[in-house]
Amino acid sequence: MKDGQRVRDLEWLDLDPDAGDAEVIAECRRRLTLYAGDHPAIYSLMSEEERHRMLARIDGILSRLKKPDSGPPLSSTPVVEDSAEGVPAAPDSEAGPAPDPATSPGDFLRYLRRSCGMDLREISAETKVSERQLEAIEEEDFSALPAPVFVRGFIIAVARALKVEKPEELAGIYLEKIAGGGS
Amino acid sequence: MSRVKADHQPMIYAVGGGKGGVGKSVIAANLGAALALLGRRVVLFDADLGGANLHTFLGMSSPALGIGTFLSGKVGRLDEVAVDTSVESLRLISGAGAGLETANLKYAQKSKILRHLRKLDADEVILDIGAGSSFNVLDFFLAADQGILVLVPEPTSVENAYHFLKSAFYRTMKDTEPKGQIRQILSRVRGELEARGIHSPRELVEQISREDLEAGMSLERSLKAFRPGVLINRVREPGDRRLGDDVSLACRDYFGTGVSALGSLDYDSLVHQSIVRRRPILELFPGTAFARGIMSLGERLLRGSG
């Protein structure tokens, strides 16, 4: 059953049946950018509803990726402490203790990024999420962010780039915070 | 696309794009010249009936012979109305002087032309099909071995191109055997698309396959052959070059069938000059960006990697 779904997901993405998760993620990211908003290449092709369905489909594919073997999160660096909700805490760094992802997911992502030694430009290049939006994510400046369905995709992409073990969970926390009307 | 043709039939390309003024004719004329320079025997066919002016791009006055002569039955073969141009190995079948009535081809006339195009004594045939998404335009496009959809990086052009693609896609579906069965399912399913949660053409085909496996398989076969290429013209920003790849990806998701990216041609002010001087740009300014782009497009098409 799960295998059948995997086959359908790969087929939908036009990938080989033996394609790995990295390829799936790369293909999903290309599409998240394409369907994120006012992309000139899809002008008039589909209705808003169809566009949202595309995003939901990609979201579904990403959320079905089980990643127990995606490499231990930041295994080469010492892990401070596992936080709640299964989101791993960040490694020690000069920036002090890791912010709690459950209450400050934006700070948490920034902390992780810095402790990986990456700047916004690098994350943007890898995730195709614009630097401006990455900044808004870290700032938790919700007014500068698009609809939650996109934000979910962004958070997952960023969390994966930073090797967070359960990106969907972090995205869930983030969306809850948006729904709670944080800023 | 496969370049292996039976009995030395010519490879047929159709240059279209829905929108007027995006450069279809100048691309068709110069692609013809490029393929001729690359050693192929080429015939340009001006299928832009009612607005035919390929001859002008090649510095010729309106030829006395053309499609009208052929349709009137005065000659038996299209080869007899293909006139030489200033470019060696490049001939032109003009649509000019075809008479006002040929702007709206009858079904029998269109079928006759499509049948005879395959019999032309040439290696490559390029159809300039003009603007719009009328049945005549679509049928010439769909009859070609390789459709070339010309876009410029502007929303109006993208919009017309998608309208063209959707029309071509549904026309392909409706013409798939068993026609009766497929049309019946189509009309039944289309009425209840929303209720069934069917939105994209791709989901429509999937639904038909669920209802009638045989019809679905037949559809998938004929839609697999629906593989137009997208060519981006008048690129000014480096980012515009990606438009073809992005359109190709979106079409794959939406239609479930491949639209290949044929690359891009840079904006080049010398194109305008070449049109004013009524010569192929390849002849006047062979080193310019557009001319090099057309040559490389020709090479790619001949390799069959378009």
Side-chain angles (χ1 to χ4, degrees):
Chain A
M1 159 67 198
K2 201 188 291 173
D3 282 348
Q5 185 61 51
R6 170 81 176 186
V7 169
R8 280 196 294 280
D9 287 350
L10 291 174
E11 202 269 336
W12 195 82
L13 293 171
D14 204 18
L15 283 170
D16 288 337
D18 55 354
D21 284 357
E23 288 162 86
V24 171
I25 293 167
E27 281 300 312
C28 286
R29 275 193 203 152
R30 282 179 72 195
R31 286 168 168 86
L32 286 175
T33 315
L34 188 58
Y35 302 122
D38 277 342
H39 199 291
I42 59 164
Y43 178 68
S44 83
L45 176 62
M46 51 187 77
S47 67
E48 275 298 282
E49 194 194 343
E50 285 165 343
R51 189 172 65 80
H52 283 287
R53 286 166 53 84
M54 286 284 184
L55 285 167
R57 188 149 197 169
I58 297 156
D59 228 27
I61 293 172
L62 283 172
S63 68
R64 279 189 287 278
L65 291 177
K66 283 274 179 280
K67 310 207 50 181
D69 55 344
S70 66
L74 308 162
S75 58
S76 53
T77 41
V79 172
V80 175
E81 182 56 66
D82 247 23
S83 61
E85 351 285 338
V87 180
D92 240 341
S93 81
E94 72 279 10
D100 182 359
T103 53
S104 311
D107 285 343
F108 176 71
L109 283 171
R110 180 191 289 124
Y111 175 85
L112 270 189
R113 173 175 65 73
R114 286 184 177 157
S115 56
C116 290
M118 292 173 86
D119 60 23
L120 288 174
R121 196 175 44 80
E122 287 169 293
I123 298 282
S124 173
E126 198 178 330
T127 59
K128 307 288 179 235
V129 178
S130 75
E131 286 181 50
R132 197 171 44 79
Q133 280 168 329
L134 288 173
E135 211 171 349
I137 287 170
E138 292 186 354
E139 292 289 327
E140 295 182 17
D141 178 5
F142 304 144
S143 62
L145 289 170
V149 60
F150 309 124
V151 177
R152 181 173 150 77
F154 292 171
I155 301 285
I156 290 174
V158 174
R160 280 191 204 291
L162 295 171
K163 311 236 176 1
V164 172
E165 203 177 41
K166 294 184 176 170
E168 293 79 17
E169 219 158 292
L170 187 63
I173 295 170
Y174 203 98
L175 290 200
E176 266 173 41
K177 199 155 180 203
I178 292 181
S183 83
Chain B
M1 98 188 138
S2 161
R3 288 194 55 86
V4 183
K5 307 292 294 180
D7 305 329
H8 298 286
Q9 279 187 11
M11 179 81 182
I12 300 180
Y13 303 92
V15 183
K19 190 170 178 329
V22 294
K24 290 182 295 295
S25 294
V26 76
I27 287 170
N30 280 286
L31 181 60
L35 294 176
L37 287 172
L38 289 165
R40 311 295 290 174
R41 294 172 308 138
V42 185
V43 172
L44 274 172
F45 183 97
D46 201 341
D48 186 2
L49 302 170
N53 54 14
L54 269 187
H55 55 274
T56 305
F57 287 93
L58 297 164
M60 303 158 75
S61 51
S62 180
L65 297 174
I67 297 169
T69 327
F70 173 74
L71 288 177
S72 71
K74 288 188 194 114
V75 296
R77 295 166 49 239
L78 272 176
D79 269 310
E80 296 175 65
V81 296
V83 299
D84 289 336
T85 69
S86 64
V87 180
E88 200 186 325
S89 298
L90 177 65
R91 291 185 296 155
L92 170 71
I93 298 177
S94 171
L100 291 175
E101 71 280 3
T102 46
N104 301 302
L105 280 184
K106 295 196 175 65
Y107 179 77
Q109 293 176 312
K110 186 169 60 190
S111 311
K112 185 180 172 192
I113 291 175
L114 290 175
R115 228 172 28 246
H116 279 77
L117 282 174
R118 299 265 168 212
K119 297 182 187 165
L120 275 167
D121 183 25
D123 303 316
E124 323 286 333
V125 172
I126 300 170
L127 314 179
D128 178 1
I129 63 171
S133 306
S134 68
F135 285 160
N136 276 334
V137 168
L138 289 177
D139 286 344
F140 277 118
F141 190 80
L142 292 172
D145 302 303
Q146 173 71 65
I148 300 174
L149 201 61
V150 180
L151 293 192
V152 296
E154 291 163 12
T156 43
S157 172
V158 172
E159 185 172 19
N160 285 7
Y162 279 137
H163 183 256
F164 184 93
L165 279 173
K166 286 175 190 174
S167 310
F169 185 88
Y170 282 113
R171 189 140 178 92
T172 305
M173 281 184 93
K174 280 184 161 177
D175 275 345
T176 299
E177 299 290 351
K179 272 189 208 173
Q181 239 162 300
I182 286 178
R183 289 183 184 200
Q184 201 189 347
I185 304 175
L186 264 180
S187 59
R188 181 157 45 83
V189 174
R190 278 182 97 167
E192 32 188 309
L193 290 184
E194 289 297 316
R196 286 163 182 259
I198 297 170
H199 299 264
S200 65
R202 184 179 187 171
E203 289 169 324
L204 181 58
V205 175
E206 285 166 3
Q207 177 61 31
I208 291 174
S209 296
R210 277 194 288 273
E211 293 205 3
D212 185 332
L213 189 61
E214 213 168 305
M217 279 166 62
S218 172
L219 259 186
E220 276 179 30
R221 267 196 304 279
S222 76
L223 290 173
K224 231 177 211 146
F226 178 69
R227 287 197 63 93
V230 175
L231 177 67
I232 310 301
N233 192 27
R234 290 211 287 264
V235 164
R236 293 168 202 255
E237 316 272 344
D240 292 340
R241 258 180 259 282
R242 278 204 314 269
L243 182 60
D245 288 327
D246 289 337
V247 165
S248 165
L249 182 63
C251 285
R252 153 84 208 173
D253 289 348
Y254 186 73
F255 294 110
T257 181
V259 168
S260 54
L262 291 175
S264 59
L265 297 167
D266 285 348
Y267 173 79
D268 187 336
S269 59
L270 293 174
V271 172
H272 172 70
Q273 275 203 43
S274 75
I275 295 171
V276 171
R277 287 165 68 178
R278 296 197 278 133
R279 314 294 306 172
I281 192 165
L282 287 181
E283 214 174 283
L284 282 180
F285 313 108
T288 196
F290 183 86
R292 281 183 282 120
I294 283 278
M295 282 303 279
S296 116
L297 172 66
E299 283 163 0
R300 268 178 287 138
L301 290 173
L302 289 183
R303 278 202 306 271
S305 60

